[in-house]
Amino acid sequence: MYIVIAGNIGSGKTTLTHMLARHYGWTPHLESVQANPYLDDYYKDMKRWSLNLETFFLKERFRDLLKIKQSAATIIQDRSIFEGVYIFAANNHDMGNMSDRDFDTFMGLFQSMMLVSQKPDLMVYLKASVSHLVDNIHKRGRDYEQNMQLDYLRNLNQRYDDFVQNRYRGKTLTIEVDDIDFLHNRKDFASVITLIDKSLNEIEYKNDNKLCI
């Protein structure tokens, strides 16, 4: 089985990925943000470096998908290739940071990759307000994130909501995280587990019915 934890910058994806991997015994697959050599340059000059940044992320996420496809273990992944394309790259294009020509080339590459890739069995979307995201971003103290514009986070939030509600065709579970603390509060984490267990049971029930047909 293949599960993705989706959500905006600072929503708690990596933390929850680690916690669920320990709880269920799943294999975590984490996004290597620090390894992107364009990240610092991108936050200084988005228009110059957006295509480089997004292409590097696309390459890394596609390589991850190929590894996941070959694995017999249950994988839980911190952010999917679909978010990178339909939210972050699309946002850069609409903000004018990526030209139409570059974006068309980028999307053509992505669509070719999808011919040999798979959707996750479950996408868990951590929905958070901009103020909640900003608090978490400040707490973790990454230098390149500290001057991030509120409009940028707000645009990403709107894109996430539209993507999960209207565009993505796979199975999703939305968890609103503003008023919970699954890291420090056991009851909050237990409530998250209950929701995920319910979704997993629905997936197994659907798969069992397919086998019986």
Side-chain angles (χ1 to χ4, degrees), residues 138-211:
H138 286 166
K139 285 176 184 176
R140 68 189 185 189
R142 293 174 182 169
D143 290 340
Y144 59 83
E145 292 180 342
Q146 298 310 304
N147 295 321
M148 198 174 296
Q149 298 296 314
L150 294 181
D151 283 346
Y152 179 67
L153 290 173
R154 192 173 293 112
N155 287 339
L156 293 179
N157 255 5
Q158 292 171 354
R159 289 185 177 278
Y160 261 107
D161 288 344
D162 179 64
F163 172 69
V164 172
Q165 295 170 14
N166 304 315
R167 302 190 63 182
Y168 182 67
R169 299 304 176 210
K171 184 170 179 58
T172 62
L173 167 64
T174 298
I175 300 176
E176 298 196 11
V177 297
D178 276 14
D179 297 321
I180 65 173
D181 184 357
F182 49 74
L183 176 60
H184 301 106
N185 189 311
R186 290 185 179 181
K187 289 184 178 179
D188 287 345
F189 183 56
S191 69
V192 170
I193 293 298
T194 298
L195 292 172
I196 292 176
D197 283 344
K198 181 180 178 182
S199 293
L200 295 178
N201 288 335
E202 290 171 354
I203 293 169
E204 291 180 5
Y205 178 77
K206 183 177 179 180
N207 291 339
D208 287 345
N209 284 346
K210 284 182 180 180
L211 292 174

Side-chain angles (χ1 to χ4, degrees), residues 37-193:
Y38 301 102
L39 203 55
D40 288 338
D41 291 327
Y42 169 75
Y43 282 115
K44 294 174 184 175
D45 187 349
M46 291 184 174
K47 185 171 289 190
R48 166 62 182 86
W49 295 103
S50 63
L51 178 62
N52 306 70
L53 177 96
E54 300 297 356
T55 302
F56 183 89
F57 274 135
L58 182 66
K59 181 260 296 184
E60 292 293 295
R61 288 167 179 148
F62 179 60
R63 186 178 65 178
D64 290 343
L65 273 184
L66 295 180
K67 291 179 180 178
I68 290 169
K69 189 175 182 179
Q70 296 169 357
S71 176
T74 294
I75 304 293
I76 181 165
Q77 185 181 27
D78 173 6
R79 184 170 286 149
S80 68
I81 194 171
F82 303 99
E83 299 163 75
V85 170
Y86 290 113
I87 295 169
F88 288 89
N91 187 60
N92 267 315
H93 172 245
D94 287 353
M95 289 175 65
N97 295 331
M98 197 184 300
S99 69
D100 291 344
R101 180 178 62 177
D102 286 345
F103 186 65
D104 287 344
T105 300
F106 179 87
M107 289 302 297
L109 178 60
F110 167 70
Q111 289 159 5
S112 297
M113 291 174 171
M114 288 302 96
L115 296 175
V116 293
S117 301
Q118 66 183 88
K119 282 189 175 71
D121 296 289
L122 175 64
M123 180 179 288
V124 180
Y125 168 42
L126 304 185
K127 181 179 174 67
S129 67
V130 172
S131 60
H132 184 83
L133 298 174
V134 170
D135 285 345
N136 284 346
I137 288 169
H138 286 166
K139 285 176 184 176
R140 68 189 185 189
R142 293 174 182 169
D143 290 340
Y144 59 83
E145 292 180 342
Q146 298 310 304
N147 295 321
M148 198 174 296
Q149 298 296 314
L150 294 181
D151 283 346
Y152 179 67
L153 290 173
R154 192 173 293 112
N155 287 339
L156 293 179
N157 255 5
Q158 292 171 354
R159 289 185 177 278
Y160 261 107
D161 288 344
D162 179 64
F163 172 69
V164 172
Q165 295 170 14
N166 304 315
R167 302 190 63 182
Y168 182 67
R169 299 304 176 210
K171 184 170 179 58
T172 62
L173 167 64
T174 298
I175 300 176
E176 298 196 11
V177 297
D178 276 14
D179 297 321
I180 65 173
D181 184 357
F182 49 74
L183 176 60
H184 301 106
N185 189 311
R186 290 185 179 181
K187 289 184 178 179
D188 287 345
F189 183 56
S191 69
V192 170
I193 293 298

